[in-house]
Every structure is written in structure tokens, then in C-alpha cells.
């Protein structure tokens, strides 16, 4: 379940970045502008950027390969260590 939640979060943030750019394809700079860990923005109070940058993907092939890997690894790992640990592990593998 945690793997699917991570997949949904990644796809949603990619879609948000593409939508904010006015295109179906988000460019890396669009993704960074939408949710990147940009220090001036964080210091200006956008603390959510400290978390959201972990879910950025450069383009659709990058997103697809990452989500495939997540589901393959997650389907094996989640029953072994639990969903909460998978979520924490995701943070430390970036």
C-alpha cells in the first residue's frame, strides 16, 4: 500500500509541475520551480519544499522507470518490513 501511495504522490507532483508549466510534459526546470528544494523559497516560508523535492522526476521516461522500480522493489520489500518503513526508506535513498 505504501508503494502505491508513493507512486500516486510522484505522479501527482509531476502532473502539478506539468500543469503549472502549461504543458503535458514537465521540464526539469518546471519541476524545480513547482516543488524543488530552493533555499530562498524555503527561507521565505515554503517549508513544504523540504519534503516535496524527494518526489521530483525530470521527464516522463524518468518517472516511468522510477515508478516501475518502486513497484517491483516495493512489492517485495513492503511485506518484509512494513509500509511505514518503506516510506522512511524512500526518504533516505534519495
Amino acid at each position: 500500500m505504501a508503494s502505491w501511495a508513493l507512486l500516486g504522490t510522484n505522479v501527482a507532483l509531476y502532473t502539478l509541475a506539468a500543469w503549472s508549466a502549461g504543458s503535458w510534459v514537465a521540464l526539469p526546470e518546471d519541476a524545480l520551480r513547482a516543488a524543488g528544494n530552493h533555499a530562498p523559497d524555503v527561507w521565505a516560508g515554503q517549508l513544504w519544499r523540504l519534503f516535496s523535492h524527494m518526489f521530483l522526476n525530470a521527464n516522463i521516461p524518468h518517472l516511468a522507470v522510477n515508478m516501475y522500480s518502486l513497484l517491483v522493489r516495493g512489492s517485495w520489500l513492503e511485506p518484509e518490513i512494513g509500509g511505514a518503513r518503506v516510506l522512511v526508506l524512500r526518504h533516505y535513498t534519495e
Side-chain angles (χ1 to χ4, degrees):
M1 188 58 137
S3 299
W4 285 100
L6 288 171
L7 182 140
T9 303
N10 277 280
V11 171
L13 281 174
Y14 183 84
T15 304
L16 174 67
W19 178 76
S20 69
S23 170
W24 284 105
V25 178
L27 300 173
E29 56 269 13
D30 297 328
L32 290 174
R33 192 174 321 113
N37 189 6
H38 186 239
D41 293 331
V42 172
W43 283 107
Q46 297 178 11
L47 298 178
W48 52 269
R49 289 177 176 273
L50 294 171
F51 180 73
S52 64
H53 79 279
M54 296 183 292
F55 298 97
L56 295 180
N57 292 279
N59 50 40
I60 291 175
H62 183 220
L63 177 68
V65 169
N66 280 352
M67 296 308 97
Y68 174 75
S69 299
L70 173 67
L71 289 179
V72 168
R73 290 178 181 173
S75 65
W76 168 78
L77 191 59
E78 199 168 343
E80 297 292 323
I81 67 171
R85 288 185 177 159
V86 168
L87 293 173
V88 172
L89 183 63
R90 166 70 165 110
H91 172 71
Y92 289 108
T93 58
E94 281 298 313

